[in-house]
């Protein structure tokens, strides 16, 4: 990451628009922190209050739209982390991504869908964006989201 | 939490009955600990050997019963943690809750179901009960459980 | 574990054949490490490039074949960890196993399926193989895998 840019400038320079963090509702938190370890809430392609690409993948939602859904879902995770840790996000390393794809029972391309999330993490964070991951096909998701993404990440200690 | 009460008294004073911890069967553990980090096994509304509210949510199980299922499922998690760490549970902070809802494919109110688990965590632990979470609709669960809940939690170090 | 044997000899002496680690494709990693904490990517019974026991459990895949699928899926996890940490795997402790079973909606024996993975962990690692776990029935899995397994594990510090 270019040291002269702040995180938003860095992201913008890649042609990526970070969405506003989805408003935290109810009793749970967008992000929980344990030391330098970060757990995010599962988030979908909820962009500025609009849920995009809703429905079942392999049914009403195409593979290409599902990839976009994964892309925006993971950007919402990043936006939520950024709203909590600020510029420390420049030292973020992604450890684990779990991607739930709202799937018709015969849809089996979950890996390609979740690539839409994995790839943008590498675009933004470089090698620190590479992560272990699981891609799962599920029966249904809240509000008919087509994809829900959650992360475990590390804020790397750069003082050493 | 009132310092004069032990954990069971605290829970009772809220009108909450902690179930007996489900008997650990087979090769796995109800709870695994890594330093101050706690991982629980996924648990349902298995109360004193009886599985309650079984079936598919949106089908034979109503939203209201599913919320009760989530409530008892998370209390089983807490009961399992308590059986391992005892009164240290007074220093517990919940980091992540994953809630799997056994869903008909067109049921999309998983968030409302899992609120039944999230809310009681805040009732018991106050702000330390607020957590990141994911709510997922799945095709099926062991023994037809309607909800399965797992936690990642922290035992806060209060000696500092 | 017998101190005179290396890990492969130990596993072989139990009559277990560790598969070649599945080739890491694309942007994600088989294993991510945070200090002594290990997160694995979800992996199925992909043995030497062949996906075994594919299909839906309770449908075309029997309980017994699903157990074998879980067995090979978790061995792939172990193989991936071994390829990254080498003989340090002798000090591995399994913290959490999540097992996703590609299930017909009326199949409810996910626990028995995932036992096929849990049991071999105890065979290999003894008490350090005992873990918290969740067994989940899902609508679909990538490439029609019948079981997908992921782990969180700890490399125990033996220098103390």
């Amino acid at each position: 990451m270019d040291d002269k840019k702040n995180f938003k400038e860095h992201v913008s320079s890649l042609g990526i628009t970070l969405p506003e963090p989805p408003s935290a509702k109810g009793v749970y938190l967008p992000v929980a922190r344990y030391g330098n370890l970060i757990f995010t809430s599962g988030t979908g392609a909820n962009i500025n209050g609009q849920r995009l690409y809703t429905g079942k993948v392999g049914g009403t939602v195409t593979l290409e739209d599902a990839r976009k859904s994964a892309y925006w879902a993971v950007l919402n995770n990043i936006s939520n982390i950024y709203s909590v840790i600020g510029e420390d996000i420049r030292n973020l390393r992604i450890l684990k991504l779990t991607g739930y794809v709202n799937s018709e029972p015969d849809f089996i391309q979950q890996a390609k869908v979740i690539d839409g999330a994995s790839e943008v993490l590498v675009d933004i964070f470089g090698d620190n964006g590479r992560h272990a991951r699981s891609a799962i096909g599920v029966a249904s998701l809240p509000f008919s989201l087509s994809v829900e993404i959650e992360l475990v990440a590390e804020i790397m200690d750069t003082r050493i």
Side-chain angles (χ1 to χ4, degrees), chain A:
Chain A
M1 224 173 275
D2 183 341
D3 276 347
K4 291 183 216 114
K5 287 180 187 145
N6 67 28
F7 184 67
K8 283 222 165 168
E9 288 167 344
H10 166 67
V11 169
S12 290
S13 73
L14 300 167
I16 297 166
T17 304
L18 213 58
E20 284 299 302
S23 57
K25 294 170 197 151
V27 291
Y28 64 97
L29 304 169
V31 167
R33 181 171 176 173
Y34 170 67
N36 285 336
L37 209 53
I38 296 275
F39 298 86
T40 70
S41 285
T43 308
N46 185 349
I47 305 303
N48 304 327
Q50 284 277 105
R51 293 189 183 90
L52 306 181
Y53 314 112
T54 54
K56 289 213 190 304
V57 187
T60 55
V61 178
T62 62
L63 173 61
E64 200 44 51
D65 276 355
R67 287 174 55 89
K68 290 179 197 162
S69 186
Y71 172 94
W72 287 108
V74 81
L75 287 183
N76 266 335
N77 276 267
I78 296 304
S79 190
N80 277 332
I81 295 173
Y82 182 56
S83 72
V84 171
I85 70 170
E87 289 299 322
D88 280 348
I89 201 170
R90 295 167 53 92
N91 300 319
L92 201 71
R93 188 166 72 102
I94 312 299
L95 295 166
K96 178 76 192 247
L97 181 157
T98 306
Y100 304 98
V101 180
N102 191 352
S103 297
E104 291 290 348
D106 60 350
F107 180 77
I108 62 170
Q109 296 185 288
Q110 285 83 11
K112 281 194 184 161
V113 172
I114 300 304
D115 282 349
S118 293
E119 288 164 5
V120 71
L121 289 177
V122 177
D123 289 343
I124 293 176
F125 297 103
D127 268 356
N128 293 332
R130 297 184 74 208
H131 50 270
R133 85 171 194 196
S134 297
I136 309 295
V138 297
S140 180
L141 286 173
F143 310 106
S144 291
L145 293 168
S146 52
V147 177
E148 184 174 333
I149 302 271
E150 65 179 36
L151 299 175
V152 183
E154 166 196 4
I155 307 168
M156 293 182 295
D157 194 337
T158 56
R159 291 169 299 183
I160 298 167

